[in-house]
C-alpha cells in the first residue's frame, strides 16, 4: 500500500529487460550509440516532430532546469505557479542552471496557471526596462502538482498568452503519460500543436528507473542544450543506461499502458474515497494523484493499517482526532486493483 | 519641480568640496588610503559599532546584492516583500551575486513585511528538506518602497522572527537617513539594537554622487565580502572617489541635515495635497516619498505645469479625465519649500 | 577489440543482477532507502573511515565538480595538471558548479603534478591579496590521464605541500580500483592516510553502468554537498538505481577483481607492444591504459584489422605512412586475454 | 615620487571641473541624461564608429568582465596571456560574469600573445567536441601588463587568427591612450580597423577618478550588455558622475595630452636608468610603464630616498645586497619631469 509517490515503485520488467539486452558488448557512448539514435527517432515519431532535438537525462530536475536555461537568459523572469515543482522542489536548480533567473509565481486555479494572471504578470515585467527581470519562459506542469490536468484548450490559452509576447513555453511532463491518457489525445496535440516549445517527458515516475527525455520542437536549441548538459555533468558515458530504459518504455506503447494502469488505480481509489462521508477531495482526481481531506483519526487508521502516503499539513499521529488534514495519494503503474482494495478496506 | 526621484538632483556642495579636497597628490587606493580608514572609523562611531566591518561601493544594488550574497548561500530563499527594490528593480542582481538564490516574497502591510507572514514563509521552507530552497537571509527596506517607515518595534518584531530560526537580517537603507530622521532615533537603535545584522547605508539619494556603505556588525563577514566586492568589479582603484563623498556626507552631520530637509519638503507637500479633495494618499507620508491618487485631469495639469514625477499605473496624457491614477513624489535635499510651493500652486 | 575507452564495455553481470534484485517492491528514494545506507556502510568499511560522508552520483564529472565546489569557493584557484579531466574534458563543469573558480594548471611529470611546481603555484597566488584568485583545492587524478599511477609517497608529497598552506586535496579516482590494484595498497592508504580529503570513487569505467561515489573523510562537508547535489539535479528519486550498482560492484570485492582483470589485460598488451621495434610507449603502462607511438602505417593496419582506439594527434587513415602518431589503448574488465591476443596478432 | 601605479595620482583639474559643472540641477539618470548622449557621440566620433554601442562603467574590471561575458558563453575558453589583468588581477571576475568560462593562457613574447600560439590553443579546443571548453573570445591588453605595446600589425595578426575561427577579439585598453600616443595612430586604427570587436577604453589611470568606456563596434551586442551591466550593479543612477568625467577627459583631447605627458616622463626615466650600469630593463619601455632589474642595494637606496614603487620578486629591505630584484615604475600624467629628476637623482 505504497501511495507516497510514483517514485517509490519498481521499474517495469520490460524496462529492465531492455536494459539487460542493451548491456552487451562494446559501443560508443555519450548518446552516439545506435540505440540512442533509435530512441530519438521513436520519440520524434511519437511526437510527430521529425525535426525535434531530443536528449535523455537522468532526472526530472535536470530536464526542467536544462530546458529552461536553454530557453531563457540569466536576467529573465520564468513564469510558473507557486506550487510548481521547479519552484518548490528543486532547491534552486532552475536558478542555478539559468545563471540566476527569477521564478515569478503566477496565480493559479486548481494548480493551473490562469491565463489572465499570466498576462498580467508578463505585462508587469515590461514597465521597468533594464531595472526589472526581463520577460522569459513560461513553464507549466502537466499533470499539475495537485493532480489536475490542463485541457488542450487550457494549454493553448496559456501558450497564446505567452506567444503574444514572444515568450517560449515549457511543459514539465514528469507525468506526461498520465496526462495524455487522461485527455485521450496525442503527444503532439498536448504539446506543439497546443503551442508548447519544449517538453520534459517523464519516464522515471512511470515505470523507468531514472530517465527523462528533453524535447525541443525547434532543433535550433540543440547545440546549446548539448553544452549545458555536458557542463551540468548530465551527459552519460555509458549512455545506453538511459537509451535502453527509454527504449523499453516506449516499445509497444508500454508507457501508455502503464499510465493507464496508474490512472485506473487512482480512479478506483477516488471512487472509494468518494463514498466516505468525512472525506473531501479539493482538487478532484484527473490522472494518478489525489489529495483528500479527512479527520486525523481517519489518517491514523489508514497509516496504522499500513498505508504509506504523505500528510501535507500535520502529523497524523499526534493532535486532535477531528482536525482535518490533507493527504496525498499517488498511484504508480504497479499498484493495481488489489493494492487499492486493501487501502479502501481500511476506510 | 523635479519629484521623479531623489536620484535626479545634484550632489551637495560640501560633498563636492570633499571630493575636490581629496583629489590632491598621491595615495594608496583600493580602500587602503588614509581617508578610507577615517571614513570607516566615522561610520563605526555613528553606528556605535567599533568592531563593524565597513565597505564603500558605488551603487545601492551593489550594496544589497553583495551583502545578501555574503549572508546567504546559493541554495537559499531570501525573504523580502514583493515590492522590495531587490525583487523588482535590480534585474536579478541578488540572484546573480548569490549564485542563484531564490527571492521569496512575503505578504506586507503598507510595504512592511508582516512578522507572522514572515514566520509562515520561513516555516514553509522547512518541510521539504533538501528539495526546497533553504531558509536564508531576510531583507527589509527602510524607508520602504511605498514611503512608509518601520518603527523600531516593527523592525524588532521582524528580526525576532528571523532570529528564532537563526536567520540573518539585512536592512536596505537606500534612504536610511530619511528614516532615521523620521523616527528621531540613533543609527544603532535602528539597526543592531533592533536586531539588524547588515546595512546598506545610502548616500547616493541624499546628497552624494554615487556611494553607499555596507556595514556588517559581525566583522567575521568582512573577508568574504572583500573577495565578493573585488570579484564583482566594485573595488575602486582610486577609492578616494568613494571615501571623499562619504567623508563630506558624514561631516558635521550633513547626512541628517539633508534628510531633514527632504523630509520637511515632503511634509509640506503632503499637507498641501491633503487639502485637495480629489486626492488620496494610500500609504501616508512618513519620510521623503509620497504616493497620491488623483484624477487624470489633475495629473495632467501638474505635468503640463512642469512637475516631473512618475505616474505608476497609466499615462496622464491619454485617457478618461476622471480615471484615478497614482503618482509618486520624491523629495531630495535640494527641493526646498520654494519647489514645493510651486508644485502646490499648480493644484 | 574495443580499446577506445573503459566506458565502452558492458556492466558486469553481477552488477546487473544487483540492479534487478533491487528493483523489487516499494521503497523510499533519494538515498533514504535501506540499500543506500548499506552501501554507504560498505564504503566506509572499505575506506576504514567510519565517519566519512558518502554519496552516489551518476557521472564522474558530477562527482568531481560537486566535490570541488564543496571544498572551495567561487573566487578560488583550483590547482590541477593541464591534462586533468576536470580541465580538459568537463566543458567547464568545475567552473559552473563552483560558481566561477579558476583552474590553474601546474606543471607535471608523466601526468603527475610536481610538488615543487604545486608549491610555486600556491605561493604565486598569495602575493596579490584580493586581486588574484585565492588559494583553493588541489585536485589530482589517480590513475592519471596518461595511465601513470602516483605512488603513495608521491601522493603524500602533494598533500603535504597543500596542507602546508591549509588547502584541501581531492582525488579524481575515476580509475581508483585500477590504481589500488596497481599499487597493492588499501583504499585508506591511497587516500586519507596519504592526506587526501575527498575522493571521486569511480564505478562506471570498471563494470558499472553509471555510478560514482563521493567520499569526504571530514563529514562536516556533507550538509553542503547534499544541497549542491540536489541543486545540480543529481539526486535520484529512484536512488536504488545508483545504490544497487554500487552494491553489486563492492560485493565480494568485485571491483578489485575487475580492475585486476583490466590491469592484466593491459600488461599483456604492453608486453606485446614492447616487442615491436617501431613502437614507443612514452609514459609506460602502470594500470589499464597505455599510450603508444608508432608509424601511421602500423595504426592503419591495426584499425583496418578491427582494433578500435583513439589516435590522439592525427588521422591514421590519411597522411605519410611513416609519420609517428600516438594511440591510446584502454582495457576494461571484459577485454580478457583473448581480446588482447587478437590485437597483438595484428601487429 | 609615486611610481607605484597610475592609479595613485589625482584626477586632472579639467576632469574635476567637468564634474562640478555637471553637478547642477535635475536630470534623468541611468545614462539617459543629455550629457551621456553627448559623451557617447564624442566616443563614436573619436573611434570613427557612428554605429558603435558605447557604455560607461566605473572600473576596468567591470569593463573587461562585462564585455567578455557579452561576447562569449559560460562554456567557452577565453584566450589570454598568463599575465593578463583578467587572468591575474580580477579575482575571477571574468569567470563570475561569464557564468564560469575558462581562461586559457596562451604563450606570449614580451607580454604579447604569439599568433601561432593562439592558433595552436584554438585548434586544441576543437578536438574534444562537447567535452572540452568551447572556443570563445580572445582578449589582448594594450599597453600590455609589462609595458610593451602591440604594433598595429601585431594586433592584426592576432585578430586575423581569431577571425579565421570566427572568434571575437576584445582589447583591454586600461592604458589605451598611452598606447595610442606611443603608436601615433588613430583610435580606429588601433581597434576596429585592426580587427578588434570591443574595447575597454580606460579613463581611470589617465586622469579620471573612476570611469571606463565599453565600446562594441557591432551595436547588436548593446541590449545584452545593458542587462548585464544592470545585473552586475554597474548602472549608476546619478550616471552623470561617469558622463562628466568622460566629458572632461575627452574635451580638447585632454586624454591624449595626459598620455603624452605620462609617456614622456617614462621615457625620461628610461633614459636615466639606461645610464646606470647595474640596471637591466627586460621588456623595454614603450609607453608609461617600465620594469627594471637592479641589485637590492639600489632598490633600497631608491625606496629609502622616498621613491614609491613595487618590487615584484622580493623585499628590497631584507636580503643579500647584490641579489637582483625587479621593480615596476609607472608614470601617470602628473609626474612631470621634476618628479622623474628627483628619482634619477637618487640613482
Amino acid at each position: 500500500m505504497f501511495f507516497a509517490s510514483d517514485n517509490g515503485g519498481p521499474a517495469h520488467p520490460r524496462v529492465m529487460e531492455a536494459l539487460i539486452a542493451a548491456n552487451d558488448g562494446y559501443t560508443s557512448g555519450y548518446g552516439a550509440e545506435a540505440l540512442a539514435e533509435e530512441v530519438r527517432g521513436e520519440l520524434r515519431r511519437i511526437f510527430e516532430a521529425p525535426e525535434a532535438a531530443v536528449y535523455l537525462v537522468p532526472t526530472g530536475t535536470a530536464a526542467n532546469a536544462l530546458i529552461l536555461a536553454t530557453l531563457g537568459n540569466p536576467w529573465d523572469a520564468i513564469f510558473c505557479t507557486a506550487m510548481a515543482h521547479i519552484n518548490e522542489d528543486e532547491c534552486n536548480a532552475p536558478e542555478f542552471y539559468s545563471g540566476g533567473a527569477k521564478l515569478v509565481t503566477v496565480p493559479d486555479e486548481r494548480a493551473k496557471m490562469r491565463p489572465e494572471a499570466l498576462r498580467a504578470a508578463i505585462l508587469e515585467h515590461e514597465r521597468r526596462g533594464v531595472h526589472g527581470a526581463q520577460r522569459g519562459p513560461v513553464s507549466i506542469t502537466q499533470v499539475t502538482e495537485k493532480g489536475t490536468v490542463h485541457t488542450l484548450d487550457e494549454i493553448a490559452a496559456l501558450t497564446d498568452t505567452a506567444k503574444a509576447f514572444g515568450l517560449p513555453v515549457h511543459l514539465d511532463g514528469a507525468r506526461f503519460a498520465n496526462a495524455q491518457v487522461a485527455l485521450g489525445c496525442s503527444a503532439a496535440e498536448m504539446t506543439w500543436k497546443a503551442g508548447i516549445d519544449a517538453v520534459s517527458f517523464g519516464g522515471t515516475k512511470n515505470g523507468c528507473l531514472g530517465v527523462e527525455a528533453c524535447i525541443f520542437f525547434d532543433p535550433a536549441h540543440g547545440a546549446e542544450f548539448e553544452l549545458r548538459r555536458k557542463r551540468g555533468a548530465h551527459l552519460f558515458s555509458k549512455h545506453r543506461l538511459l537509451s535502453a530504459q527509454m527504449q523499453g518504455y516506449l516499445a509497444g506503447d508500454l508507457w501508455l499502458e502503464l499510465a493507464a494502469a496508474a490512472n485506473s488505480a487512482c480512479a478506483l481509489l477516488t471512487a472509494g474515497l468518494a463514498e466516505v462521508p468525512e472525506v473531501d477531495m479539493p482538487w478532484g482526481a484527473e490522472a494518478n494523484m489525489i489529495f483528500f481531506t479527512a479527520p486525523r483519526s481517519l489518517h491514523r487508521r489508514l497509516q496504522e493499517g499500513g498505508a504509506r502516503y504523505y500528510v501535507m499539513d500535520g502529523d497524523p499521529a499526534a493532535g486532535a482526532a477531528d482536525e482535518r488534514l490533507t493527504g496525498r495519494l499517488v498511484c504508480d503503474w504497479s499498484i493495481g486493483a488489489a493494492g487499492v482494495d486493501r487501502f479502501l478496506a481500511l476506510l
Side-chain angles (χ1 to χ4, degrees), chain A:
Chain A
M1 284 190 292
F2 190 95
F3 298 93
S5 170
D6 34 11
N7 279 328
H12 190 272
R14 279 161 57 192
V15 170
M16 297 305 287
E17 285 158 19
L19 195 53
I20 293 161
N23 183 45
D24 188 41
Y26 299 95
T27 177
S28 298
Y30 301 110
E33 71 277 15
L35 188 57
E37 187 51 32
E38 180 187 316
V39 164
R40 287 190 292 263
E42 185 64 9
L43 281 164
R44 290 190 190 102
R45 193 192 59 71
I46 288 171
F47 277 87
E48 303 168 43
E51 305 297 328
V54 177
Y55 303 99
L56 303 181
V57 296
T59 69
T61 297
N64 292 338
L66 285 166
I67 289 174
L68 288 167
T70 302
L71 293 178
N73 283 307
W75 39 81
D76 281 355
I78 295 172
F79 299 99
C80 62
T81 61
M83 70 278 291
H85 197 271
I86 59 169
N87 192 46
E88 285 205 323
D89 282 303
E90 301 188 351
C91 194
N92 297 0
E95 289 87 346
F96 174 45
Y97 274 88
S98 65
K102 179 191 293 291
L103 271 61
V104 169
T105 58
V106 179
D108 68 291
E109 196 172 316
R110 299 178 64 241
K112 301 178 195 175
M113 196 184 285
R114 291 170 40 226
E116 67 277 22
L118 173 59
R119 185 177 152 78
I122 296 170
L123 284 172
E124 173 65 24
H125 280 79
E126 182 186 39
R127 296 192 304 107
R128 296 174 183 277
V130 301
H131 299 279
Q134 303 298 297
R135 296 160 170 181
V138 176
S139 179
I140 63 179
T141 311
Q142 176 84 319
V143 178
T144 73
E145 290 79 4
K146 298 301 182 199
T148 55
V149 176
H150 297 82
T151 65
L152 298 186
D153 283 350
E154 286 171 339
I155 295 173
L158 290 166
T159 62
D160 284 351
T161 304
K163 279 171 198 328
F165 298 93
L167 304 182
V169 186
H170 163 245
L171 186 83
D172 176 355
R175 297 186 177 94
F176 189 96
N178 302 283
Q180 187 176 327
V181 166
L183 292 178
C185 65
S186 72
E189 284 167 347
M190 201 163 80
T191 56
W192 64 267
K193 289 186 177 176
I196 298 292
D197 296 286
V199 182
S200 303
F201 176 79
T204 310
K205 289 179 190 289
N206 190 34
C208 296
L209 279 167
V211 67
E212 315 277 310
C214 300
I215 302 170
F216 293 91
F217 297 112
D218 178 353
H221 292 297
E224 178 174 332
F225 184 90
E226 291 188 33
L227 293 165
R228 290 191 178 276
R229 175 179 56 167
K230 172 66 190 179
R231 189 177 69 123
H234 287 289
L235 177 58
F236 277 47
S237 56
K238 293 186 175 173
H239 187 272
R240 54 179 141 179
L241 167 57
L242 300 178
S243 301
Q245 290 182 70
M246 189 55 75
Q247 181 195 38
Y249 182 59
L250 299 178
D253 286 341
L254 177 64
W255 61 295
L256 293 171
E257 181 186 316
L258 298 184
N263 288 9
S264 295
C266 188
L268 279 178
L269 204 54
T270 306
L273 283 164
E275 294 180 12
V276 183
E278 310 154 282
V279 165
D280 283 328
M281 288 176 283
W283 295 294
E286 304 181 350
N288 68 321
M289 181 160 58
I290 177 81
F291 288 77
F292 74 108
T293 305
R296 176 176 276 113
S297 53
L298 183 63
H299 288 293
R300 200 176 301 164
R301 181 155 24 111
L302 287 164
Q303 301 226 337
E304 286 172 2
R308 290 181 64 186
Y309 62 90
Y310 286 107
V311 175
M312 314 309 282
D313 48 1
D315 180 352
D322 60 349
E323 191 186 356
R324 294 184 70 79
L325 302 174
T326 300
R328 186 187 77 161
L329 303 172
V330 194
C331 298
D332 87 337
W333 64 273
S334 68
I335 290 286
V340 172
D341 286 346
R342 277 194 290 152
F343 180 92
L344 293 177
L346 293 172
L347 283 173

